[in-house]
Amino acid sequence: MTARLSLFGNPAATAAKAAAHFGTASRTILTESSLPAATQGLVLLRASQINGDGYATDVWAKNAATAGESATRINLVAAWRGSTVFTDAERAALALAEEGTRIADAAGGVADEVWADAVQHYDQDQLSDLVMLVALINATNRMSVIVRQPGGSYQPGQFAGTAD
């Protein structure tokens, strides 16, 4: 599979500049949030799986492994509801990420019960960061899927200083 288009092909182009802002926003959350890094990684991986973004799924699975996440937990993200390896807080974040990603599938968006569960585990700043993280990964997943950015060749750290 070959990408249809490189959004970064011309760094001076409007799309490349806009995409760079997504990267900056993502880096801000990833580096400055008090939301646990492992939780952030799980959320990014799960949303990317749901969206069918092979590139981002590759990135976030490999980044999680490099950060010390176990292969068991990485492999079970897709089936987190039926596994015992995630904390209650991580499960709340994954539920929020799933409903925030599948927002078009439910007329009411994120269910009140899912939100209430997240509120039990995260403070207002962490919840805000979680909402932003879900929104940003969904937007970047969509860009990647539209241009058919293939997964499989990512190497952790290849974009040193970026949110990959």
Side-chain angles (χ1 to χ4, degrees):
M1 182 168 136
T2 303
R4 292 174 167 162
L5 172 74
S6 171
L7 294 175
F8 299 98
N10 175 3
T14 305
K17 291 176 187 176
H21 288 293
F22 276 91
T24 299
S26 296
R27 274 191 302 284
T28 300
I29 301 282
L30 293 170
T31 61
E32 296 180 20
S33 177
S34 65
L35 189 64
T39 301
Q40 292 179 39
L42 296 171
V43 163
L44 293 165
L45 178 56
R46 185 63 188 127
S48 298
Q49 290 170 335
I50 292 167
N51 287 322
D53 184 347
Y55 177 75
T57 298
D58 184 36
V59 167
W60 298 114
K62 288 176 179 174
N63 282 352
T66 299
E69 193 65 73
S70 74
T72 300
R73 283 171 45 94
I74 293 168
N75 291 329
L76 286 174
V77 167
W80 66 270
R81 291 181 197 281
S83 67
T84 60
V85 298
F86 302 104
T87 67
D88 288 344
E90 290 168 338
R91 295 170 75 74
L94 286 165
L96 182 62
E98 279 197 4
E99 289 202 6
T101 297
R102 294 182 168 154
I103 209 159
D105 297 342
V110 174
D112 290 338
E113 299 80 27
V114 168
W115 183 258
D117 191 28
V119 167
Q120 290 181 26
H121 297 283
Y122 301 104
D123 65 30
Q124 293 296 301
D125 289 341
Q126 292 171 320
L127 286 168
S128 296
D129 292 347
L130 185 55
V131 168
M132 285 298 297
L133 193 63
V134 170
L136 287 165
I137 194 61
N138 276 285
T140 55
N141 286 161
R142 281 154 176 76
M143 286 183 255
S144 182
V145 170
I146 290 167
V147 302
R148 291 190 180 160
Q149 184 65 41
S153 63
Y154 173 75
Q155 296 300 315
Q158 80 180 53
F159 303 116
T162 71
D164 294 322

